[in-house]
Each structure stands twice: as structure tokens, then as C-alpha cells.
Amino acid sequence: MMFSYLVLVGMICLCSTEPLKRHKRSWIIDSFDIVEEHPGPFPYELGQIKLDRSYLVEFRLKGKGVDEDPKGVLSIDSLTGIIKVHRKVDYEQYSVLMLTFQARNKSNLAIDTQLGMEVNILDINDNPPVFQRRVYDVTVNEAAKQGGFIVGVLAIDKDAPGTPNSTIDYKIISVTPTTKNVEFYIQESGAISFKGCFDYEVANKYSITVEAKDRGVVKLSSTVTIIVNLQDGNNHLPVITGQTGSANVVEGTNGTSPLKLHTADADTRPTAAWRVRYSIQGDKSGHFAIHTDPDTNDGILTVVKPLDYEENPEQKLTIFVVNEEPYFSCEVKERSADGLWTIITNPPKQSSRNITITVEDANDPPFFPDPVRKVILEENGAVGAFVDKVTAVDPDTGRPHKLEYSIEQDPAGWFRVDKTTGEIFVKESLDRESSHVTNGTYTVTVLVTEKDDHPPMTSTATIQIHIEDKNDNVPILKENMVSVCQSDEVSSTEITAYDLDGDLYSGPFSFEIMGDHKEEWSFDPSHGNTVHLVKDKRVHASLNTLIVKISDKQGRFVLQNLSVAACDCAVSPNCLMERNTQQKVGSGLIGITILAALMIFACLLLSLICSCGTVKSLVQVDNVLEDALLPSNIEKPGTDCVVPTILLKKASVSHSKDATFVSNGAQQTTDIQGVSSKITAIHSLPVQMDECWSRDRSQCYSSETWMWKQYQSENRYQGSTFSRRSSQRRQGTYFISSSTLQSLLSQRLHSIQCLENELLDYEPQLYAVEDNSDHFVDLDPIDLPMNEFDPELLSDLGPAFKHLASICNPGTLSKPEVMKNGIR
């Protein structure tokens, strides 16, 4: 690019008419000017500085453009003072060069003159306007109004501000596509707007080219592209096109969807201009709600509050539909050259649909018109008194049901209800101080049930009964044992009483000492919930029992014993502590004793239960030595033994504790009650003995022999090593009367005495005088086994035991068969 330049060279001399300027305490020579981007040739003269001196001077120049950036631009001739320019200078980098001029005496180089100097760089139009962005991309809603701001562009020119070189003008060069309904324009500030109406269906994007040009002699310019994207607006109304569903709803239900509405919209999906919202008109009770399917825009009608067939069998509704984004309408009527165009708008018309919901009848539960009732009753009132009446209503007017009332909740069981009428009566006396009463109120719940329906429908009513308090409780001491310190002066302790009645019939209480202790003890004060029991100084350390009269507000009183321990508090801060400890120990011992007695009684009762029944055996053998006793009747009962049938009288238990028998002048006592207690009273009946004492079942004893064996097992052979407990495992049970038993016992005792008289008397002999076990090798040691004894070991005891049996009874025990019948 070629430029024309005008070079002005100013030569300033101190002796000339050109004045010097004072600047920051130094003289400044008027500035020189250098044209930006001067094409040369270089160097060229900028000007000359002259000084009128009688001696020779040397000129020097330093500062920006000489020895500071931009270096090498200027120089000065040291002898003549001519300033030359050696290269170009860019205005956008250095708009002025500040330098210092010196004149020195050439003979001694002393500074003669020092002045400041400025060189101005004259700007030329060498920079075009530059936009901040290469492309502007914006989005505008279709419903934007004309004249509104769309986007602003900005270009910057680096040339000197305020000069034509940096003054910029904006202009729209082109718009693609060109539509009749829109015209874009740009303001001096670079703001772009439009006239007319956007139509997304006509054009959804515009490309605008904008130019920025300065005002220099040679104008420089640049361009930028603006892309305007249209967002579809709601310029098409939604329309309800149809419905699906039965439109029927069962009464008393919710959560069902009886109907679905279908809607069409020409706007772009799924934008806010396409999405719709539904509203319901005619649903005064709020039974329905409708929400939108986000994928299809269908409206789903839902029951949110149960409907009542008896109240309204049909529901007529109107459903409206609108878009989420407000509807707009824009149509160009007139295009003017100046100003905005003339446009018209059309008001929206909502789409709607009338629907009818049919309510289907269902069985409704009964209900109480007054489900919560309040009643006031007196405490301790008459049983059977009328309380209240609850009445339930069956909403099924077309088919009424039979209703029955019952008490559902009555914690204390104080009330009853007539199942037909619903009348409530007092069943038991009311107690306001009961744990079931809260703040004086007792709650009863009554249940009503449809008896002729399956499943039965129910409903409840709540009766809140306020119980009026009566003075039916007396004051009570909180503690009936207190302590007081023993001293020579008056001392006291606190006494507290309480009353279960309400405030009107309770404290504060009146306290009074009764009896013989009025002189030594008193209350101060004597009125209140907690008072001080004052001990007179005459009372010594002791345990005192006082009779205290406590009266409530209404004068109802009680006499209570109060134990007061007076002791030396210097020894123990609480003189009841040691006493209480002793009482606790004594109580523990008493408790252990009672527990042991109860256990003994339980054992006796258990043994009695085990031994008692509707039928008892004749005798029960006591197992005195458990390890040594062995039941002899362990084999199965024989089938070849028959006892003659006998008639036994009804047993009568003797109540005499002891019966006395005399034998050979000696008196013997037998526990008849113990024997008789084992006899069970039954009617006379024949009894057949089906059990034999013989192991080989070859012979049986007669009834008398059998009874005698029982008696021997009970009395004579209890200490024997091989004592029998035959009656404990006997399958057949035998009974005799007490009189017969006494007669038999007398006979058997006499027989025993006669047998002893027949035995020979032998003098005691000493068989061994020293311990020499070697002489008794034929004798086997007797060892009682600790484990369970095997009864089969007794089947063959050997000749030694037979010989022993013959010694004990030489007349009757010689037969081998006797050894097998249990008498050993």
C-alpha cells in the first residue's frame, strides 16, 4: 500500500524567537513530529538545534529512540546539532518519544545546557477494525417481539482514539434466507434487532453478515457472521382428539384411572411449546386428578378421593388442555420503511372436552355421624347406670343391613353396650385413680358391624368419659419410718403425705399427733404436703411409734403409725441404716426358711399325688436302703395261679393314730393309720389274683399267706438286705377292709411269738478272738455293689444260701421250692 507523507523539519534556535517552555523544573524545546510508517529514504533530517556561544560546544541526545527502546530511531550531529531519523516508528507502540538534549563545553566537557525534548509520532490509518469473535451464534425464541435485542457485535480499531482512523461504522451486508416476515437491522452501537414476526415453520435459522469500517482517508474494514437459531414457540394450540377408557368408577375406591384423553400439537416435540397441561372443571369435591404422559401428551384421569354412589351416581367434568409455554400469535399487517412494522395478534382459544364418569354402587361401611362423644360420669357411681347412646347409619339406602354394636376397647372392663340399640351402661364401678384413666378421662371404643354381609363392614365411635372425682381415698404417708437426730435441743425431720384423689380432695394436708406422744412430738407447720416432725429435747435415743392423724382438704382423715428412730447423728448420719440392714438380713433368713418349707411341702404333695389315685394297692413297701433293697416280683405274672374269689368289704380308714398289741407281756405299737391309709375304699367285689410269688409258677399262696407276705415286707423285713417291694410292680391289686387287716395282723404277730418260743436257745459263742483272715478262706466277703443290681443273679444263689435258710427256719425252709417263693 502506498502512502503520501508530508515531512516537516523544524529548526529551533535559542537565540530565535522560538520560546522555551518550562516543564518539571527544566526547559523543554517544542516537539518534533514524525509521521508513522514514513517510507524513507533513511536517514532524513528531522531538525537542527543551535546555541550562540563564544566557545565551541558538543551536542548530545539520549532517551527513547536513541539509547532506549525503540533504539536507533534518532541521532544528533555533535558539532552541528542536526537530528536525523533512521527507521520507521509504529504509532500503536510508541505515540511519543521523550529525550534529553545536552550541550557541553568542548574544552572541558562541562555541561553548558540541558533541555528536554519530545518527538510526537503522527498516526496513519494502518489498522482495520477487528471483531472480538469470528462467528456469533445465538438462539432466539420464536415468540420474540420485534424491536427486541438479539445480539450485539463489537469491533476494535488500534489507531489513534478519537480520530477518523479509529471511528467505526457497522452495516448488515447480507441475510440468509430472506423472508418476507422478518427484516434485521443494526444500530450504531452494534446491537442487532429485527422487524416483523418470526415463524419457525418458515425458517428456523438465519445467517447475517455484518461489516465494520473505519473513517480514515483510506477506509479499512472487516466482517463477521452472526447465526440466529430460532427456538420453536407455541404458535399452535393443542387439540383434544379423543378418549379411551370405560369412564366407570366403583364407589369407595381411589387410585384407579377410568379415562385417558389424547391430544395433538403441531409444535416441535418435546419442547415446552408441545408439552401440555390438563385442568378439570366441575370437580367441586376434588375427587379427580389428571396428569400428563410425558411421552405421548395423553391426559390420564385418576380418582384421588373415593366417590359415593348414594351422594352422586354420575360426575360430569370438563377437561381443558394448554401448553406449558404461553401461546403467541403474530401476523405482519404493514411494512414501513422507518420504524417497526405493523403486526396483529390473535387471542388463544383453549381446547376442551366434556366427559361423564359413572359411579358404580358398592357396599359401604356403616358410620357414626358423631364419631367422638364426650360424657361426664361420677366416680363410684351406680352399676347399671345409663352412660350414652351411639347410633350408626348405613349409607346403603337401597339395601340396608342389620347393625350390631359391641365394645371394642374398654381396658378396665367397666362398661357394656346393648348390641341392638347402642346404649352404653356401667358394668362395674368407676375408679378415677385407676391406671387406665388419663387426666381424669377414660376412653371407650364402640364397634358397629354389618352382620348380614361378608366380609362384614365395620366402623368405630370413641366415647371420652370424664370421671368426676370423689373423695374415696385417704392421705397416706410416703414413708412410715423416719429418723431424727438426738440432741439436747429441739430437732426435726420431714414428713410427706400424698392422696390419690384429685386436687379438690387431696393436699395440702393437716397433720396431728394422737395418743400419749403429743407432749414430746409435734408438727411445725402442721399444714401442707410436706411438714416437719419436731422432737422435744426430752425425747432420748429410742425407737418411737407415733399415731399420726392426716386430714385432706375435705376433712377426711386417717390414723397411721409412724416409726421414728431418734439416735446420735454424730455416730451415724442415718440411724435407720443399721436397723434396715438387720431387717434385710432377717427378712432374707425368713424368706429362705419359708422357701425350704414350701419345697418340703411340695415334695410331700408330689409323693401324695403319685401314691394316691382312685384305686390304691394294699400296701406300699418303703425303700429304706435304696442300694440294698431289691424287688422280688420282677418276673411276668403267671397265668396258672388262681386265688379263690373272696368278697372284700368296703374299706373304712381308721382314724386312730396308734394301735397297741401285747405279746408275751411286752407292749408293741403299730401305726395303724399308716397301714390303713393305703387302703382305698371300693365296693365289695370279687378279686382274682393273677400274680404268683413262685418264680417257676408251680404253686401259689393262699390269700392269707399273700397278706402275710405283704405284712412281712412292710414291717419285719424292711431292714433285710433282700427286702421286697412287691406291691410297687404288681399288675393285679388287692383290697381288704381295715377290720380284717387288724385281725390278720394280730394273728400273724401271735404266730411269730409262738415260732420264737419253739426255737432252741443257744449260748453265744466267740468264733474268733484275733484277726486272722487266713482261717476263714471258705467265707466270701459281702460287697454291696454301687451299680444297678441284676435280678437274674438271684436265680441260683448256691447251696450256701440254702444252708443259711435251713438254719433260720429248720422246720419250714428245707424245701427247695420255698427258696424260690421270695422268703429268704
Side-chain angles (χ1 to χ4, degrees), residues 127-427:
N127 292 284
V130 178
F131 287 96
Q132 290 182 326
R133 300 181 188 176
R134 298 180 62 182
V135 176
Y136 289 82
D137 196 330
V138 295
T139 300
V140 180
N141 192 283
E142 181 186 9
K145 295 182 179 180
Q146 64 171 348
F149 175 79
I150 295 178
V151 66
V153 295
L154 178 64
I156 297 176
D157 196 318
K158 293 183 179 180
D159 291 325
T163 64
N165 297 336
S166 62
T167 302
I168 302 173
D169 296 322
Y170 298 100
K171 180 182 178 181
I172 295 177
I173 296 177
S174 65
V175 177
T176 304
T178 301
T179 58
K180 296 180 180 180
N181 58 309
V182 173
E183 181 182 298
F184 292 94
Y185 66 92
I186 189 168
Q187 302 175 7
E188 293 182 357
S189 62
I192 298 176
S193 300
F194 75 100
K195 300 176 184 180
C197 303
F198 286 123
D199 190 342
Y200 182 85
E201 284 72 23
V202 175
N204 57 12
K205 181 188 291 187
Y206 289 93
S207 179
I208 305 171
T209 301
V210 176
E211 179 188 60
K213 182 183 291 185
D214 61 24
R215 298 178 183 179
V217 177
V218 179
K219 294 180 174 58
L220 303 178
S221 64
S222 61
T223 59
V224 71
T225 300
I226 296 98
I227 298 176
V228 179
N229 300 289
L230 288 184
Q231 182 181 5
D232 190 16
N234 185 21
N235 59 342
H236 298 88
L237 289 172
V239 179
I240 299 176
T241 59
Q243 69 183 52
T244 56
S246 63
N248 295 333
V249 177
V250 179
E251 70 165 333
T253 61
N254 59 359
T256 59
S257 299
L259 196 67
K260 181 183 289 187
L261 299 176
H262 308 290
T263 301
D265 195 306
D267 293 314
T268 304
R269 58 188 303 172
T271 62
W274 175 82
R275 294 191 297 267
V276 297
R277 290 195 300 258
Y278 295 88
S279 60
I280 304 174
Q281 184 177 344
D283 183 21
K284 298 180 180 180
S285 300
H287 292 286
F288 299 94
I290 188 168
H291 68 277
T292 305
D293 187 332
D295 298 325
T296 63
N297 254 359
D298 291 341
I300 302 173
L301 186 69
T302 305
V303 180
V304 295
K305 182 180 178 181
L307 296 163
D308 190 353
Y309 173 83
E310 287 73 23
E311 181 179 343
N312 191 357
E314 286 186 347
Q315 290 281 340
K316 296 184 179 297
L317 307 174
T318 302
I319 308 298
F320 293 90
V321 62
V322 295
N323 291 114
E324 292 182 359
E325 184 178 305
Y327 171 78
F328 82 96
S329 175
C330 183
E331 183 180 351
V332 177
K333 183 178 182 181
E334 183 181 353
R335 296 172 179 84
S336 58
D338 297 331
L340 300 177
W341 296 353
T342 302
I343 61 174
I344 58 175
T345 58
N346 298 317
K349 185 179 180 181
Q350 289 184 344
S351 177
S352 63
R353 192 176 188 89
N354 296 323
I355 61 174
T356 300
I357 302 298
T358 302
V359 181
E360 298 179 355
D361 190 19
N363 183 25
D364 296 317
F367 69 94
F368 290 93
D370 190 7
V372 179
R373 300 178 62 86
K374 296 183 179 181
V375 180
I376 299 176
L377 294 178
E378 290 185 354
E379 184 181 14
N380 302 325
V383 176
F386 175 78
V387 177
D388 196 9
K389 180 179 180 179
V390 291
T391 303
V393 177
D394 188 355
D396 296 322
T397 57
R399 46 174 185 176
H401 299 83
K402 181 181 179 182
L403 303 181
E404 184 175 293
Y405 301 90
S406 61
I407 296 292
E408 183 185 49
Q409 182 178 2
D410 182 11
W414 289 341
F415 300 93
R416 64 177 179 87
V417 63
D418 189 295
K419 66 178 182 179
T420 304
T421 63
E423 294 178 337
I424 304 173
F425 300 93
V426 177
K427 185 172 68 173

Side-chain angles (χ1 to χ4, degrees), residues 522-542:
S522 62
F523 290 103
D524 184 19
S526 61
H527 190 72
N529 293 322
T530 300
V531 297
H532 287 86
L533 177 63
V534 181
K535 177 189 71 67
D536 190 83
K537 59 183 179 180
R538 292 174 294 175
V539 178
H540 301 288
S542 61

Side-chain angles (χ1 to χ4, degrees), residues 704-760:
E704 291 186 0
T705 305
W706 176 82
M707 291 174 57
W708 172 237
K709 298 298 182 181
Q710 291 292 338
Y711 178 77
Q712 287 180 325
S713 176
E714 286 285 341
N715 297 276
R716 182 177 179 182
Y717 292 5
Q718 278 188 346
S720 174
T721 303
F722 302 102
S723 176
R724 303 294 180 175
R725 290 190 294 171
S726 57
S727 63
Q728 294 182 356
R729 291 176 173 84
R730 179 158 286 104
Q731 294 184 359
T733 306
Y734 308 95
F735 304 92
I736 60 175
S737 64
S738 60
S739 59
T740 304
L741 177 63
Q742 292 179 11
S743 177
L744 292 174
L745 290 176
S746 300
Q747 295 176 9
R748 297 312 169 196
L749 290 176
H750 180 70
S751 300
I752 293 172
Q753 185 64 34
C754 295
L755 181 60
E756 291 177 353
N757 294 333
E758 295 175 358
L759 296 177
L760 299 178

Side-chain angles (χ1 to χ4, degrees), residues 491-507:
S491 57
S492 64
T493 185
E494 287 187 349
I495 302 297
T496 302
Y498 66 95
D499 196 323
L500 297 177
D501 292 323
D503 181 67
L504 184 63
Y505 304 105
S506 60

Side-chain angles (χ1 to χ4, degrees), residues 484-684:
V484 64
C485 292
Q486 172 62 33
S487 65
D488 295 336
E489 302 297 331
V490 175
S491 57
S492 64
T493 185
E494 287 187 349
I495 302 297
T496 302
Y498 66 95
D499 196 323
L500 297 177
D501 292 323
D503 181 67
L504 184 63
Y505 304 105
S506 60
F509 309 105
S510 297
F511 294 83
E512 182 182 356
I513 300 294
M514 308 298 292
D516 299 334
H517 297 280
K518 290 184 178 181
E519 300 279 337
E520 296 85 3
W521 302 88
S522 62
F523 290 103
D524 184 19
S526 61
H527 190 72
N529 293 322
T530 300
V531 297
H532 287 86
L533 177 63
V534 181
K535 177 189 71 67
D536 190 83
K537 59 183 179 180
R538 292 174 294 175
V539 178
H540 301 288
S542 61
L543 180 63
N544 301 273
T545 300
L546 310 181
I547 301 176
V548 181
K549 178 182 179 182
I550 312 172
S551 306
D552 59 19
K553 287 181 181 179
Q554 305 300 324
R556 186 169 186 178
F557 66 90
V558 66
L559 299 179
Q560 283 191 255
N561 290 335
L562 175 64
S563 298
V564 184
C567 61
D568 189 0
C569 292
V571 178
S572 174
N574 187 358
C575 51
L576 290 177
M577 184 180 300
E578 181 179 358
R579 178 179 179 86
N580 290 339
T581 304
Q582 295 175 355
Q583 289 181 351
K584 290 180 181 179
V585 174
S587 300
L589 293 177
I590 294 174
I592 293 174
T593 304
I594 295 175
L595 179 62
L598 290 176
M599 292 180 65
I600 295 174
F601 178 75
C603 294
L604 294 176
L605 183 61
L606 181 62
S607 64
L608 180 61
I609 293 175
C610 295
S611 62
C612 293
T614 57
V615 180
K616 294 186 179 180
S617 60
L618 178 63
V619 285
Q620 299 288 339
V621 179
D622 294 332
N623 189 359
V624 179
L625 299 177
E626 187 66 29
D627 294 335
L629 299 182
L630 180 68
S632 62
N633 185 30
I634 58 175
E635 67 276 13
K636 276 189 175 181
T639 58
D640 54 351
C641 299
V642 178
V643 176
T645 301
I646 59 174
L647 292 179
L648 303 179
K649 297 180 181 179
K650 183 177 180 181
S652 61
V653 180
S654 175
H655 294 282
S656 62
K657 184 176 181 181
D658 297 325
T660 303
F661 299 91
V662 179
S663 177
N664 294 336
Q667 197 175 48
Q668 299 180 355
T669 302
T670 303
D671 188 354
I672 299 301
Q673 184 180 1
V675 176
S676 301
S677 63
K678 300 178 182 179
I679 303 174
T680 302
I682 60 173
H683 294 286
S684 299

